[in-house]
Amino acid sequence: MSVETAPAARDRRRFGRNIVIALPYAWLLLFFLLPFAFVLKISLAEADIAIPPYTALLNWVDDATVTIQLTFSKYQFLLDDRLYFAAYLNSLKIAAITTLLCLLIGFPIALFIVSRPPHARFFWLAIVMLPFWTSMLLRVYAWVGILQSNGLLNTLLLDLGLIQQPLVLLHTDLAVYIGIVYSYLPFMVLPLYAVLEKLDAALLEASADLGARPAVSFFTITLPLALPGVLAGCLLVFVPATGEFVIPALLGAPDTLMIGRVLWDEFFSNRDWPMASAVAIVMLVILVAPVMLIRARGNKKPEVA
């Protein structure tokens, strides 16, 4: 019976680690890089009345000659047409405001859940995750019934005598903010809870013993230690909210311009797949570039003097 040598055992362990590491890279290659490359290819083509509705990048002139036809006209059109710039700007504005609202609402909720006894936290977490058990489309339609002129909210306010006539809530920017905050609030609460749960309560007790007020302890201890959860929650809300389409389409006004609606119009109304792909590529760069910069700064080790 042969005994495995130490170098052979190390090689086997190294091979196993490489296989485990390769799995997430293969996932990213298959479901991110390849679709991204495909969309990038379409954005460099021209719209055409064909199936698929865009020109080919490689054209065979004869058996031995291939021509490559790339066009950047769609990107140039993005720079020249202020409609797309306004759509990007409005999407970023709505996403930033909803992210801030989710943070202001989600942080107290996460603190409340952490302050509960351990056996009661599961119940409150289940309440937070309860919307995930139903379709997002149904939840948005429910808000249509709540916010419309004869809906639940206006009926309640009229019955209480707080208003004399129904408020215009549906098909406004306010309705869009309400819908996005409601839909993405759990994505803010859960990362904050995961970080705050690990917070050492002894630090707050020591701060109180030293005479610090609760507000001072929050801004000097709780908030700095919760920053990883704040950053994760903000990214989980901001990135999908920027490209949101369903909520602005159902709750927003016809002139609520967001990049998700622009993408839908380009793909399905105008059937201009290259233009829609260019819009998607630019949006991806706008969203991914700051994330990569933040990650690079976070991974940068401080220099030792």
Side-chain angles (χ1 to χ4, degrees):
M1 181 176 180
S2 62
V3 179
E4 189 177 24
T5 62
R10 285 196 300 269
D11 291 340
R12 288 176 60 86
R13 289 194 296 269
R14 187 180 299 110
F15 177 77
R17 286 195 298 267
N18 291 337
I19 291 296
V20 173
I21 295 173
L23 290 177
Y25 284 101
W27 179 274
L28 290 175
L29 175 64
L30 182 61
F31 294 104
F32 178 75
L33 291 181
L34 288 181
F36 174 79
F38 187 70
V39 174
L40 179 62
K41 178 183 81 72
I42 297 177
S43 70
L44 298 176
E46 287 286 354
D48 191 12
I49 303 177
I51 300 177
Y54 54 86
T55 58
L57 299 186
L58 300 179
N59 296 308
W60 290 89
V61 178
D62 51 45
D63 293 339
T65 305
V66 178
T67 61
I68 301 176
Q69 184 178 358
L70 302 178
T71 176
F72 295 91
S73 60
K74 303 301 181 182
Y75 294 96
Q76 182 64 39
F77 189 74
L78 281 177
L79 296 176
D80 295 338
D81 195 333
R82 296 187 61 84
L83 171 69
Y84 298 100
F85 178 77
Y88 283 120
L89 193 62
N90 196 50
S91 298
L92 294 175
K93 182 196 74 172
I94 292 177
I97 294 176
T98 52
T99 302
L100 179 60
L101 292 175
C102 285
L103 179 60
L104 295 177
I105 299 173
F107 211 113
I109 294 176
L111 284 175
F112 171 79
I113 297 175
V114 171
S115 66
R116 298 301 91 192
H119 66 274
R121 294 177 185 175
F122 177 79
F123 169 77
W124 294 107
L125 285 174
I127 294 298
V128 172
M129 294 185 293
L130 188 62
F132 290 149
W133 300 350
T134 58
S135 170
M136 179 180 177
L137 187 60
L138 293 178
R139 286 182 274 134
V140 176
Y141 269 117
W143 277 106
V144 173
I146 294 172
L147 298 176
Q148 61 187 353
S149 298
N150 58 346
L152 179 63
L153 183 57
N154 273 313
T155 301
L156 179 61
L157 295 176
L158 287 171
D159 292 341
L160 293 176
L162 298 178
I163 58 175
Q164 301 301 322
Q165 57 183 1
L167 300 175
V168 179
L169 300 174
L170 191 60
H171 302 311
T172 62
D173 288 345
L174 176 61
V176 175
Y177 289 127
I178 292 174
I180 297 179
V181 169
Y182 168 77
S183 299
Y184 291 105
L185 184 60
F187 293 103
M188 180 66 73
V189 174
L190 295 180
L192 289 173
Y193 168 80
V195 173
L196 293 174
E197 187 186 25
K198 301 175 183 177
L199 182 64
D200 190 357
L203 297 175
L204 298 177
E205 294 176 0
S207 176
D209 291 340
L210 294 174
R213 296 181 178 180
V216 175
S217 298
F218 174 79
F219 286 106
T220 58
I221 296 177
T222 304
L223 184 58
L225 294 178
L227 283 181
V230 172
L231 180 60
C234 289
L235 290 178
L236 288 174
V237 173
F238 181 81
V239 173
T242 304
E244 182 59 52
F245 165 73
V246 174
I247 296 174
L250 295 179
L251 301 181
D255 58 347
T256 301
L257 191 61
M258 291 190 69
I259 205 63
R261 178 175 290 187
V262 174
L263 279 172
W264 174 275
D265 291 338
E266 293 292 353
F267 264 116
F268 298 102
S269 298
N270 301 336
R271 290 191 58 80
D272 192 344
W273 287 24
M275 189 71 237
S277 299
V279 172
I281 292 294
V282 172
M283 183 178 68
L284 184 64
V285 172
I286 292 174
L287 293 177
V288 171
V291 175
M292 297 302 293
L293 290 176
I294 294 174
R295 181 177 177 83
R297 291 177 63 88
N299 293 336
K300 187 178 181 180
K301 297 181 179 179
E303 297 181 358
V304 179

Short mmCIF file of all heavy atoms in Angstrom, two decimals, residues 14 22 25 50 54 103 116 123 143 164 217 219 241 251 287 289:
data_model
loop_
_atom_site.label_atom_id
_atom_site.label_comp_id
_atom_site.label_asym_id
_atom_site.label_seq_id
_atom_site.Cartn_x
_atom_site.Cartn_y
_atom_site.Cartn_z
N ARG A 14 -3.92 21.96 -3.71
CA ARG A 14 -3.88 23.14 -4.56
C ARG A 14 -4.82 22.99 -5.73
O ARG A 14 -5.51 23.93 -6.12
CB ARG A 14 -2.45 23.38 -5.05
CG ARG A 14 -2.28 24.69 -5.83
CD ARG A 14 -0.86 24.89 -6.31
NE ARG A 14 0.08 24.95 -5.20
CZ ARG A 14 0.97 24.00 -4.94
NH1 ARG A 14 1.03 22.90 -5.71
NH2 ARG A 14 1.79 24.12 -3.92
N ALA A 22 -12.29 28.42 -9.31
CA ALA A 22 -12.67 28.57 -10.72
C ALA A 22 -14.18 28.62 -10.91
O ALA A 22 -14.66 29.19 -11.89
CB ALA A 22 -12.08 27.43 -11.55
N TYR A 25 -15.60 32.18 -11.04
CA TYR A 25 -15.13 32.83 -12.26
C TYR A 25 -15.85 32.29 -13.49
O TYR A 25 -16.17 33.05 -14.42
CB TYR A 25 -13.62 32.63 -12.41
CG TYR A 25 -12.80 33.50 -11.50
CD1 TYR A 25 -12.25 33.01 -10.34
CD2 TYR A 25 -12.59 34.84 -11.81
CE1 TYR A 25 -11.49 33.82 -9.50
CE2 TYR A 25 -11.84 35.67 -10.99
CZ TYR A 25 -11.30 35.14 -9.83
OH TYR A 25 -10.56 35.96 -9.01
N ALA A 50 -34.31 43.01 -40.51
CA ALA A 50 -33.90 41.62 -40.69
C ALA A 50 -34.15 40.90 -39.38
O ALA A 50 -34.68 41.45 -38.42
CB ALA A 50 -32.43 41.53 -41.08
N TYR A 54 -30.30 43.74 -36.80
CA TYR A 54 -29.06 44.52 -36.80
C TYR A 54 -28.10 43.88 -37.79
O TYR A 54 -28.21 42.69 -38.12
CB TYR A 54 -28.44 44.62 -35.41
CG TYR A 54 -28.20 43.30 -34.73
CD1 TYR A 54 -27.02 42.57 -34.94
CD2 TYR A 54 -29.15 42.77 -33.87
CE1 TYR A 54 -26.81 41.35 -34.32
CE2 TYR A 54 -28.94 41.56 -33.24
CZ TYR A 54 -27.77 40.85 -33.47
OH TYR A 54 -27.57 39.64 -32.85
N LEU A 103 -32.22 54.07 3.42
CA LEU A 103 -31.25 54.08 4.52
C LEU A 103 -31.85 54.71 5.77
O LEU A 103 -31.69 54.18 6.88
CB LEU A 103 -30.00 54.83 4.09
CG LEU A 103 -28.88 54.95 5.13
CD1 LEU A 103 -28.38 53.57 5.55
CD2 LEU A 103 -27.73 55.79 4.59
N ARG A 116 -34.18 43.33 19.75
CA ARG A 116 -35.12 42.33 20.24
C ARG A 116 -34.37 41.12 20.80
O ARG A 116 -33.21 40.88 20.44
CB ARG A 116 -36.04 41.86 19.12
CG ARG A 116 -36.93 42.92 18.47
CD ARG A 116 -37.85 43.58 19.47
NE ARG A 116 -37.25 44.76 20.06
CZ ARG A 116 -37.71 45.41 21.11
NH1 ARG A 116 -38.80 44.96 21.71
NH2 ARG A 116 -37.11 46.48 21.57
N PHE A 123 -38.96 36.44 13.91
CA PHE A 123 -40.29 36.93 13.56
C PHE A 123 -40.20 38.27 12.83
O PHE A 123 -40.86 38.46 11.79
CB PHE A 123 -41.13 37.09 14.84
CG PHE A 123 -42.42 37.82 14.62
CD1 PHE A 123 -43.51 37.20 14.03
CD2 PHE A 123 -42.55 39.15 15.01
CE1 PHE A 123 -44.70 37.89 13.82
CE2 PHE A 123 -43.74 39.84 14.82
CZ PHE A 123 -44.81 39.21 14.22
N TRP A 143 -50.19 48.90 -4.93
CA TRP A 143 -50.00 50.33 -4.68
C TRP A 143 -50.83 51.17 -5.64
O TRP A 143 -51.22 52.30 -5.31
CB TRP A 143 -48.52 50.70 -4.81
CG TRP A 143 -47.77 50.43 -3.55
CD1 TRP A 143 -46.88 49.42 -3.30
CD2 TRP A 143 -47.86 51.19 -2.33
NE1 TRP A 143 -46.42 49.50 -2.01
CE2 TRP A 143 -47.00 50.57 -1.39
CE3 TRP A 143 -48.58 52.30 -1.95
CZ2 TRP A 143 -46.84 51.06 -0.10
CZ3 TRP A 143 -48.43 52.79 -0.66
CH2 TRP A 143 -47.57 52.17 0.25
N GLN A 164 -60.49 67.56 1.67
CA GLN A 164 -61.82 67.81 1.14
C GLN A 164 -62.04 67.18 -0.22
O GLN A 164 -63.18 66.95 -0.63
CB GLN A 164 -62.05 69.33 1.05
CG GLN A 164 -61.92 70.04 2.38
CD GLN A 164 -62.89 69.53 3.42
OE1 GLN A 164 -64.04 69.22 3.11
NE2 GLN A 164 -62.44 69.42 4.68
N SER A 217 -22.93 58.17 21.05
CA SER A 217 -22.53 56.77 20.90
C SER A 217 -22.91 56.24 19.51
O SER A 217 -22.16 55.46 18.91
CB SER A 217 -23.20 55.91 21.98
OG SER A 217 -22.79 56.31 23.27
N PHE A 219 -23.18 58.00 16.63
CA PHE A 219 -22.35 58.55 15.56
C PHE A 219 -20.87 58.20 15.71
O PHE A 219 -20.13 58.28 14.72
CB PHE A 219 -22.52 60.07 15.50
CG PHE A 219 -23.82 60.51 14.91
CD1 PHE A 219 -24.84 61.02 15.71
CD2 PHE A 219 -24.06 60.40 13.55
CE1 PHE A 219 -26.04 61.42 15.17
CE2 PHE A 219 -25.27 60.79 13.00
CZ PHE A 219 -26.27 61.30 13.80
N ALA A 241 -32.33 50.10 -8.68
CA ALA A 241 -33.29 51.20 -8.78
C ALA A 241 -32.99 52.09 -9.98
O ALA A 241 -33.91 52.68 -10.56
CB ALA A 241 -33.29 52.02 -7.50
N LEU A 251 -46.61 53.28 -11.81
CA LEU A 251 -46.92 54.31 -10.82
C LEU A 251 -46.55 55.71 -11.27
O LEU A 251 -47.07 56.68 -10.73
CB LEU A 251 -46.20 54.00 -9.49
CG LEU A 251 -46.52 52.67 -8.83
CD1 LEU A 251 -45.75 52.53 -7.52
CD2 LEU A 251 -48.01 52.52 -8.58
N LEU A 287 -22.73 52.63 -13.71
CA LEU A 287 -22.98 51.96 -12.44
C LEU A 287 -21.79 51.19 -11.93
O LEU A 287 -21.51 51.17 -10.73
CB LEU A 287 -24.18 51.01 -12.59
CG LEU A 287 -25.54 51.66 -12.84
CD1 LEU A 287 -26.61 50.61 -13.02
CD2 LEU A 287 -25.91 52.60 -11.71
N ALA A 289 -18.43 51.50 -12.79
CA ALA A 289 -17.18 52.24 -12.56
C ALA A 289 -17.07 52.75 -11.13
O ALA A 289 -16.03 52.55 -10.47
CB ALA A 289 -17.07 53.39 -13.57
#
